[in-house]
Amino acid sequence: MDSVNQAEFWQQRYEQDSINWDMGEISPPLKAYIDQLPESAKNQAILVAGAGNAYEVGYLHEQGFTNVTLVDFAPAPIKAFAERYPSFPPEHLICADFFDLSPSNYQFDWVLEQTFFCAIDPIRRDDYVKQMAALLKPKGRLVGLLFDKNFGRAEPPFGGSTNEYRQHFAPYFDIEIMEPCYNSHPARQGSELFVMMHNQRQH
Ligand SMILES: C[S@@+](CC[C@H](N)C(=O)[O-])C[C@H]1O[C@@H](n2cnc3c(N)ncnc32)[C@H](O)[C@@H]1O
């Protein structure tokens, strides 16, 4: 189980093109979410962690969002993204372990979650929640998709259920939406929750 905590595990998956999680396009519910944001959101600080090939980041960039940060600890997808989007600011492409990001250097208005939580070793779920809360500004929000399904395997994706997720997130986030997703990609119909939750941190 140790290996999923290490960049080499994921880097190898990219090198071997063994990336069955990769949909090759932005996830439809996330596109719909981004499309309804007001013009005033375009300069907000946004994080996409464990972004992989980062179709969401590419879409945000194409739509004129100016302050988007991509984090992944595998170098291969970051290099590929930089080649696809030469106009994307390179200082916003961070090849680092999410858990090592310093909240005193990074503070975001919102974070987009897309198959990152399910890639984290389940014993680190509380660490993920605490780190997200620390990287989000007070009242900042975590928006995205979580699997509504247990895969029952000792390898990613690690799924879960509403009850379990609430136990992890509720101490740090006010959960506004955690509901079955109605507009999932066809390959993920019936297996995702759309979530939106707000950081409880006051300062
Ligand atoms: C299942 S993939 C999902 C990639 C992308 N979100 C997508 O949907 O195609 C998980 C990604 O998280 C990255 N990752 C896993 N643990 C990480 C960590 N601790 N810090 C940074 N990136 C991590 C992996 O390198 C991989 O790119």
Side-chain angles (χ1 to χ4, degrees), residues 23-44:
M23 296 196 295
E25 60 179 306
I26 183 169
S27 173
L30 301 181
K31 177 177 181 301
Y33 178 75
I34 292 165
D35 287 346
Q36 55 80 53
L37 290 171
E39 201 58 28
S40 58
K42 294 209 165 159
N43 60 0
Q44 289 182 334

Side-chain angles (χ1 to χ4, degrees), residues 10 14 21 50-52 72-74 96-99 114-116 119-120:
W10 296 97
Y14 287 102
W21 61 80
D72 203 295
F73 62 9
D97 190 320
F98 165 76
F99 294 99
Q114 161 70 353
T115 51
F116 177 48
I120 302 291

Side-chain angles (χ1 to χ4, degrees), residues 3-11 13-14 19-25 27 30 48-56 71-75 77-78 94-101 112-121 124 147 156-157 188:
S3 57
V4 301
N5 299 324
Q6 287 155 15
E8 293 71 29
F9 171 88
W10 296 97
Q11 173 69 9
R13 301 282 302 258
Y14 287 102
I19 54 170
N20 54 358
W21 61 80
D22 190 306
M23 296 196 295
E25 60 179 306
S27 173
L30 301 181
V48 184
N53 279 318
Y55 306 102
E56 292 72 27
V71 171
D72 203 295
F73 62 9
I78 297 189
I94 315 286
C95 191
D97 190 320
F98 165 76
F99 294 99
D100 292 340
L101 293 182
L112 198 59
E113 166 56 52
Q114 161 70 353
T115 51
F116 177 48
F117 182 84
C118 70
I120 302 291
D121 183 338
R124 304 183 85 191
F147 276 115
R188 298 204 177 148

Side-chain angles (χ1 to χ4, degrees), residues 21-149:
W21 61 80
D22 190 306
M23 296 196 295
E25 60 179 306
I26 183 169
S27 173
L30 301 181
K31 177 177 181 301
Y33 178 75
I34 292 165
D35 287 346
Q36 55 80 53
L37 290 171
E39 201 58 28
S40 58
K42 294 209 165 159
N43 60 0
Q44 289 182 334
I46 304 166
L47 169 67
V48 184
N53 279 318
Y55 306 102
E56 292 72 27
V57 179
Y59 186 71
L60 286 161
H61 182 61
E62 286 162 4
Q63 299 309 305
F65 287 78
T66 56
N67 193 357
V68 186
T69 299
L70 181 166
V71 171
D72 203 295
F73 62 9
I78 297 189
K79 184 167 175 283
F81 181 88
E83 284 165 8
R84 286 201 327 273
Y85 289 95
S87 63
F88 191 87
E91 66 276 15
H92 282 207
L93 296 176
I94 315 286
C95 191
D97 190 320
F98 165 76
F99 294 99
D100 292 340
L101 293 182
S102 162
S104 52
N105 293 338
Y106 296 103
Q107 285 288 291
F108 299 97
D109 292 296
W110 59 282
V111 176
L112 198 59
E113 166 56 52
Q114 161 70 353
T115 51
F116 177 48
F117 182 84
C118 70
I120 302 291
D121 183 338
I123 63 167
R124 304 183 85 191
R125 286 188 167 176
D126 286 334
D127 297 338
Y128 167 105
V129 172
K130 284 182 206 165
Q131 175 71 338
M132 276 299 176
L135 292 170
L136 278 164
K137 294 179 185 176
K139 305 257 168 83
R141 67 193 187 281
L142 175 63
V143 180
L145 300 164
L146 297 175
F147 276 115
D148 190 14
K149 177 176 179 177

